[in-house]
Amino acid sequence: MMEVKIGCVANLYSRMMHFKKAGDIEIGHKHQFDHLTLLAKGRLQVTVEGNVSEFTAPHMLYIRADKVHELQALTDDTVAYCIHALRTHEGDIIDPSMVPEGVDIRSIAAPVVCE
């Protein structure tokens, strides 16, 4: 089972993928823009339109726009981050667990607007 956490700060999107077991898969998908996947821990098999590569952490992977790609963990406890700029910015996404001591979360949270 894979666990996903998303963060977005100042137009920078980050999607943490924690592959708990070898064989866990991030199913094939594609993006409109080139982006970086940071393999922080473990090993990944990356399939891009049928072409297979293997990578060991630490490693940065370049993912080309409009290319269908799939990630599969080759080891337990593999961690990778999909990182890219947002072309339009709707607001920050900050999980309170991301904020270190000494930072007032209220000072970075947008006001809630009810319509």
Side-chain angles (χ1 to χ4, degrees):
M1 176 177 192
M2 184 175 69
E3 176 185 6
V4 173
K5 290 188 179 179
I6 294 173
C8 175
V9 177
N11 277 21
L12 182 64
Y13 172 89
S14 176
R15 182 172 192 265
M16 183 187 79
M17 297 166 284
H18 181 190
F19 300 86
K20 301 220 176 185
K21 296 289 181 188
D24 287 350
I25 295 175
E26 171 68 7
I27 62 170
H29 60 284
K30 63 182 177 177
H31 304 277
Q32 293 180 329
F33 302 98
D34 297 344
H35 76 279
L36 174 75
T37 296
L38 170 62
L39 176 55
K41 183 178 181 184
R43 294 182 60 227
L44 276 180
Q45 174 179 289
V46 180
T47 304
V48 179
E49 297 192 335
N51 298 297
V52 178
S53 301
E54 292 184 11
F55 298 94
T56 301
H59 198 85
M60 292 188 291
L61 293 82
Y62 172 73
I63 305 296
R64 185 87 172 130
D66 297 319
K67 297 288 185 182
V68 174
H69 56 284
E70 177 180 275
L71 310 176
Q72 181 173 357
L74 297 175
T75 56
D76 292 350
D77 204 25
T78 294
V79 179
Y81 296 82
C82 176
I83 302 167
H84 62 82
L86 296 174
R87 293 345 191 240
T88 59
H89 185 58
E90 300 298 326
D92 293 342
I93 301 169
I94 302 171
D95 183 311
S97 69
M98 297 166 50
V99 181
E101 291 295 324
V103 176
D104 181 3
I105 188 124
R106 293 170 295 182
S107 68
I108 56 179
V112 175
V113 178
C114 298
E115 294 181 16

